[in-house]
Every structure is written in C-alpha cells, then in structure tokens.
Amino acid sequence: MPVMRYLFGWMAALAVWLAPAGEAAAQACTGGAAPISTYTYTAATLSSPALLDIDFSVTCPSIYGTPPGQPVHLCVTSWFVSQATRSGSGESMPVSVRLTSPANTGLSPAVMAGPYPAGVASGGNIVVNGRVTVTAAANQAVSRSPGSYDMILTMLVEYADLDNGWPMCMGEFFDPGFQMSVWSTARFVIPGSCSIASTGTVGFGDLPAMPTTASNVDAQGSVGVLCSAATPYTVYLGDGLNRAGAGSGSRQMASGDQRLPYQLYRDANRTQVWNQAVGGGVSDSGTGAVQTLPVYGRIPAGTVLPAPGDYQDSVIVTVSY
C-alpha cells in the first residue's frame, strides 16, 4: 500500500532529525501531581461554584544544553471527560477545566495548548510548575445525590524551546526527553445535607366568646425543608413553650398565665400527632429543592376557653438526616 510506506518513511526521517548524532540519549522526566485532589461541599457551599486546584510539577533534563536562565515554554495536551461521575452509578455532574498557571486558559480534550512562558532553566534541568483548576458551576451539587463524583484528568506536558527553533506546540515535533504524562483524579464530594427553609404560622383566628368550643377549630401551617437529592430525612416538632408536662406532647398556647390547649398533626384527618418522639416525625427524601410539609392544627370540640386574649406558642422544628 503506497500511502503506508510513505508515512513510515516520513516518520523515520523525522525521528533522525529530533535526535541528531552526538546528543545524549533522552532521559526520563520526573514529577507529577497528587493522585487525588478533593473538594468537599458543605451545607453552606452546596449551591456555590466549586473550584478544585490541581498543582503539578515536571522536571526534565536539559539534554540539548539549555543554559541556566534561558526561558522555558510549556505545551499542554489534556484528556478528560467534562463530567465528574458518582462512584457506583451513572449519575454525573458537568465540570470545566482550565490551566490557571503558568497561563490562564481553558483546556479542551485532546487539544494541544500553548506555548506558555513557564520560567527559566536552572541547574541543568528544565523545571515547570503549573496548576489546573477544575470547576463545577453554581447549583450543580444541589440537585445531585450525595457521594463522590470523580473525573480523571491526564495531561501530556511538553517543552517548546522557542529560542533554538523548536516548533510552537504543533503536536508532533517533541522529544520524549521533554515529555511527561501527569494524571490526577478530581473528586467532588457531595454530603447529604438538610436545612429548614421556612415555617408557616398555624393561625386559628378569632374564637367565639363562649364557655367551650362547640366544634373542632382547625388550622393549617407548613414547614419548608431543603435537602440534597436522595437524602433521607425526618422532621420533628417540639412540644412548644407551654406544654402541660415535659415530654407529654400536650401543647398549649399562652396569654399571660392563661392557657389554651391545641394539638399539631401529621395528617389531614388529625389522628397522628406530630411530635419529637420516635415514629412521631414526618419522613421523606430530598430532591434538591424546597419541599413543603403541611402542619395540621386543631383545638378540639369541648375545649374550655380561657379569658379573652392573644394566645401564642412557639414550636422548635428539627430535621434529622
């Protein structure tokens, strides 16, 4: 096949040009990056952008006699998938990759970038220190399941000797003595998290002036919960400030020294008291958005009404996850 013979001959001639007679054999470069670099979200940062810095260092022998003080230029070819994937699942989160040192520029998979000034040669070696920043945009973590999201980043770091006529990051004219593969895993850890987003008043309104309530007096409020996706949670309601006895669950509103009994329930039929006992809460799983849970209140029929006044109570809301 003529085309194949032509390509083989061209590559062989090129290899002779890269390693002229009398030069020392290429030596291996040393260095690299941390095997795993981790960014861990918190409840406070879950909706914020996440920036993960990966520092790398490469030292290559100056086999072509690069004198100390001569400028060193860096070419970078990167391979990555623009998604960080959760361990054990197909769920992923989009990320972007930038070379932030020695230059600040976006990187694209399998595309050579550069050359970038990267310092000067010293001590007979070519030393390059750099940084890559992997970024997950704002609000990416909120709607995703808790876990570790990984993206493997591989870079081929190469040296371009512009002063001695080496090509400017063209992709095929580099000596192995000036190359090193640098790899690292960028890991974003999304913890399970929950917070109380809102509470709505359970307002019973005005009661008629009579000795007892002739029928049930019902009211409804709400609790808003914000939990990361797939995070199980349970919301509990305390007994309030005026309970009849510690842990009794018998809630009372107060106006001075007067008391007005009431109760809070998990269901619209008002048969399941919502309290802080085991089994007395409301459970669900987070979605990454605020979930509104209705709170059903009742002053039962036949309740003896105290003296007229403005009766209130405050209940502590707790979310366990």
Side-chain angles (χ1 to χ4, degrees), residues 19 47 122 163 243-244 265 279 293 303:
S47 60
S122 63
D163 293 334
R243 61 192 178 187
Y265 299 88
L293 309 178
T303 298

Side-chain angles (χ1 to χ4, degrees), residues 10-237:
W10 181 82
M11 291 177 69
L14 177 62
V16 173
W17 181 78
L18 285 174
E23 290 288 0
Q27 303 176 48
C29 298
T30 59
I36 300 177
S37 297
T38 303
Y39 179 96
T40 301
Y41 287 92
T42 65
T45 63
L46 202 60
S47 60
S48 302
L51 279 66
L52 175 58
D53 292 329
I54 301 175
D55 294 319
F56 64 89
S57 179
V58 175
T59 299
C60 294
S62 180
I63 63 172
Y64 291 108
T66 303
Q70 179 170 313
V72 172
H73 290 78
L74 175 69
C75 302
V76 175
T77 308
S78 55
W79 289 269
F80 59 91
V81 177
S82 300
Q83 300 281 337
T85 302
R86 184 165 65 92
S87 302
S89 78
E91 188 175 4
S92 62
M93 178 172 65
V95 296
S96 60
V97 180
R98 292 187 69 84
L99 180 70
T100 48
S101 178
N104 189 3
T105 183
L107 296 178
S108 299
V111 176
M112 178 172 283
Y116 306 115
V120 296
S122 63
N125 290 325
I126 299 169
V127 181
V128 172
N129 296 308
R131 171 175 289 178
V132 169
T133 300
V134 183
T135 302
N139 297 313
Q140 290 298 324
V142 173
S143 60
R144 287 176 167 78
S145 303
S148 296
Y149 290 73
D150 292 351
M151 184 207 71
I152 297 176
L153 172 66
T154 302
M155 297 182 298
L156 182 63
V157 179
E158 303 175 284
Y159 163 67
D161 185 355
L162 306 186
D163 293 334
N164 290 328
W166 286 74
M168 298 175 62
C169 297
M170 297 300 293
E172 64 266 345
F173 292 100
F174 294 93
D175 189 288
F178 294 111
Q179 294 179 337
M180 183 172 183
S181 291
V182 176
W183 67 271
S184 182
T185 296
R187 174 168 294 170
F188 295 86
V189 179
I190 302 177
S193 64
C194 285
S195 61
I196 301 298
S198 63
T199 56
T201 300
V202 181
F204 291 97
D206 295 333
L207 301 183
M210 58 177 59
T212 61
T213 53
S215 60
N216 294 327
V217 180
D218 291 341
Q220 183 174 327
S222 64
V223 173
V225 184
L226 176 60
C227 293
S228 53
T231 299
Y233 66 86
T234 302
V235 176
Y236 298 97
L237 300 184

Side-chain angles (χ1 to χ4, degrees), residues 271-298:
T271 60
Q272 303 174 36
V273 174
W274 194 342
N275 55 32
Q276 54 193 357
V278 175
V282 172
S283 300
D284 207 336
S285 185
T287 63
V290 174
Q291 295 168 278
T292 301
L293 309 178
V295 181
Y296 302 98
R298 170 169 288 177

